[in-house]
Amino acid sequence: MGCCNARCGLITGAVFGAVLAILGGVLIPLGNLVIEGTVKKEAVIENGTTFWFLTVNNPQAVIKDGATPVVIERGPFTYKTRFLPKHNITFNPNHTASFLLPTIATFEPNMSVGTEDEEVVVLNLAVAGAYSLVPKALHILLEGMIKSSNSSLFQKRSVKELLWGYTDPLLKDTLSLFENGTYDGPYNVFTGKDDIAKVATIESYKGERELPYWNDTFCNMINGTDASSFAPFVDKKKPLYFFSSDICRSVSASYMRSYPLKGITVYRYSLLHSTLASPVDNPENHCYCRDREVTKNCTLAGVLDISTCQMGKPIYISLPHFLFASPLLREQVQGLSPNEEHHETFLDVEPTTGFTLNFAKRIQINMMYGPSKHVLSKDVFYACVLFLQTASLDDATADMLKEELVSRIQLLATVQQALLGAGVAIFIVCLISYCCVRRNTNQGKQA
């Protein structure tokens, strides 16, 4: 009877151990559900946008003598913006949600080198645009209009005027580099309710599933998210795709390293050199080559012609100071000094939620002028302004994420490991003990 009780007890112990091990395994999907619930909450992070103007130091020498422009970086001029929350959020029956992204900026004088009224000398947006849009045969007539309006190839304007708008004497219209108090979108994205792997992925932008700018199916694709978040459980072996309306295209970023951000481990993703490479080095960029003459038969690297999404204006996007660009572009302007640490674009993503907790979007806005026998006889890309948008979660948000997400994950992992370990240990010990008891019992019967 005693042996029977011992064997029964050991069997019960083995079963109990197996149950503990199974319970530890069950915590894996349970943990995923807890995480998924946290993922669906929106975090608010403070966003700051700084502008650096490349003011031209020798405008008259450029106009009269064709001298190489010499630029001096002036800034920062800092504006506080809000990256989240999104505006006009509407949930749709097909597991998507639509929203607008606000673009509202407030000047921060304490974080700037001067006031918004400080003046800088930059390329005249109207004159440069007119030279590019008007046929060369009519440039002599255009010159008359420019002189009669007291305009010139370069202009002195305040920071506020250039950024948010001024009345141009040549066009008799309002021109600006950016718009304030407007909205980007609407975006329509997957909620992930039916498939968490699709969460935040853009389904359509401004009601369209592809862009209308590039006359090519591949380049017109809208890939990934808006970069504020990605699908949870990020795999660092795979690139992250996102769409940027600022440059009118989708891009990808690749994993570089991991590091702790306010106690939270994040993955650093950066744009690769190939993003703005010439089609010679990156054939995928072939459809972004719009003008073979300007791009030296599509061999020019480092600039993206976005005139098709800027109503024909000769606007080109690059990384600051023509980082990773063809040497020719830097040779056209003196005063540039590209630095990867200060001029790269990156995202810091929390791998479990897919939230972007820190980022730096660094873009240089350039305009092209020329050629014209009346002013300059060659194409020149003028760097007008550096657009540096950065954001990072504040301490309160970091604490919230650590409390609601990281601590839960750590607790679940600890409990899971304890249950699995204890369960497996109890199961093995009881199983071995049962076998020993059974063997001893059998030997006793034989004796």
Side-chain angles (χ1 to χ4, degrees):
M1 185 70 179
C3 290
C4 180
N5 289 338
R7 288 198 299 269
C8 290
L10 290 172
I11 292 173
T12 302
V15 171
F16 178 69
V19 169
L20 287 180
I22 293 172
L23 182 59
V26 168
L27 280 178
I28 296 175
L30 177 61
N32 291 350
L33 289 176
V34 173
I35 293 166
E36 182 178 332
T38 306
V39 166
K40 292 180 179 178
K41 297 179 181 179
E42 285 196 289
V44 177
I45 59 178
E46 287 292 341
N47 187 28
T49 300
T50 59
F51 299 94
W52 296 74
F53 285 87
L54 294 171
T55 182
V56 181
N57 201 37
N58 59 339
Q60 293 305 314
V62 174
I63 295 174
K64 295 180 179 179
D65 306 323
T68 299
V70 178
V71 297
I72 299 174
E73 197 173 74
R74 182 64 179 157
F77 298 93
T78 304
Y79 292 78
K80 279 285 187 178
T81 57
R82 206 68 174 163
F83 190 67
L84 289 175
K86 302 172 175 72
H87 191 69
N88 282 1
I89 301 175
T90 303
F91 290 92
N92 306 311
N94 63 341
H95 304 306
T96 63
S98 58
F99 57 85
L100 296 169
L101 289 178
T103 56
I104 301 171
T106 304
F107 185 64
E108 289 287 334
N110 294 333
M111 301 174 68
S112 305
V113 297
T115 70
E116 289 183 294
D117 296 323
E118 183 166 331
E119 293 183 329
V120 293
V121 178
V122 297
L123 192 69
N124 190 317
L125 308 181
V127 172
Y131 273 117
S132 297
L133 296 174
V134 173
K136 294 179 182 178
L138 299 179
H139 279 190
I140 190 170
L141 297 178
L142 177 61
E143 281 288 314
M145 296 174 60
I146 291 172
K147 290 179 180 179
S148 64
S149 63
N150 292 321
S151 299
S152 177
L153 182 61
F154 297 98
Q155 62 177 340
K156 179 183 286 188
R157 292 280 179 185
S158 71
V159 168
K160 184 176 183 179
E161 287 178 318
L162 289 169
L163 291 177
W164 314 120
Y166 62 93
T167 301
D168 182 78
L170 176 63
L171 300 181
K172 305 294 192 294
D173 198 2
T174 301
L175 295 181
S176 66
L177 289 170
F178 300 93
E179 293 181 338
N180 198 358
T182 60
Y183 294 90
D184 180 25
Y187 290 83
N188 195 54
V189 305
F190 291 102
T191 62
K193 187 175 182 180
D194 59 333
D195 182 0
I196 194 66
K198 294 165 59 178
V199 67
T201 300
I202 299 173
E203 188 269 341
S204 65
Y205 174 67
K206 293 185 176 180
E208 301 293 337
R209 294 189 176 183
E210 63 178 31
L211 302 173
Y213 309 128
W214 305 108
N215 296 323
D216 183 274
T217 302
F218 177 79
C219 286
N220 280 333
M221 293 174 63
I222 301 175
N223 294 325
T225 73
D226 66 355
S228 62
S229 64
F230 300 88
F233 310 110
V234 175
D235 183 355
K236 59 187 177 184
K237 295 180 181 179
K238 299 178 180 179
L240 294 180
Y241 294 90
F242 58 95
F243 168 69
S244 175
S245 61
D246 295 317
I247 62 174
C248 312
R249 61 166 287 190
S250 299
V251 295
S252 66
S254 295
Y255 171 83
M256 295 297 165
R257 60 186 174 91
S258 301
Y259 80 99
L261 175 66
K262 298 186 178 180
I264 302 173
T265 298
V266 294
Y267 289 172
R268 167 65 58 90
Y269 283 80
S270 298
L271 295 185
L272 296 179
H273 299 189
S274 58
T275 303
L276 295 177
S278 74
V280 175
D281 297 315
N282 182 8
E284 291 185 352
N285 284 344
H286 73 279
C287 36
Y288 298 119
C289 180
R290 307 287 299 175
D291 189 322
R292 301 186 74 87
E293 181 180 355
V294 170
T295 60
K296 314 301 180 186
N297 201 26
C298 296
T299 62
L300 198 65
V303 290
L304 175 68
D305 179 0
I306 62 169
S307 59
T308 53
C309 61
Q310 296 293 328
M311 297 180 291
K313 300 172 187 174
I315 297 177
Y316 293 77
I317 295 296
S318 70
L319 295 178
H321 290 238
F322 293 123
L323 178 67
F324 306 141
S326 297
L328 171 66
L329 296 173
R330 292 190 293 274
E331 293 168 0
Q332 290 181 341
V333 181
Q334 294 182 17
L336 300 179
S337 181
N339 182 294
E340 188 168 355
E341 180 182 355
H342 296 137
H343 298 149
E344 71 168 349
T345 289
F346 66 81
L347 307 165
D348 289 339
V349 180
E350 197 288 310
T352 303
T353 62
F355 285 155
T356 299
L357 302 185
N358 180 47
F359 76 85
K361 179 169 64 176
R362 293 156 170 167
I363 296 174
Q364 180 172 293
I365 299 173
N366 313 281
M367 288 196 73
M368 189 193 72
Y369 165 75
S372 171
K373 65 181 181 180
H374 302 284
V375 184
L376 292 178
S377 59
K378 61 181 180 179
D379 288 323
V380 176
F381 289 91
Y382 283 95
C384 297
V385 62
L386 308 185
F387 171 69
L388 312 180
Q389 189 176 45
T390 59
S392 182
L393 78 168
D394 55 24
D395 292 336
T397 305
D399 291 340
M400 181 273 292
L401 281 175
K402 284 187 285 188
E403 179 181 349
E404 295 195 12
L405 177 66
V406 177
S407 60
R408 295 184 187 184
I409 295 172
Q410 292 173 343
L411 176 61
L412 283 169
T414 301
V415 173
Q416 175 188 323
Q417 291 171 3
L419 289 176
L420 279 170
V424 170
I426 292 173
F427 178 80
I428 292 174
V429 170
C430 289
L431 184 61
I432 293 174
S433 299
Y434 172 79
C435 293
C436 292
V437 170
R438 186 172 180 179
R439 185 183 62 182
N440 292 336
T441 301
N442 291 336
Q443 289 176 350
K445 288 181 180 179
Q446 292 174 359

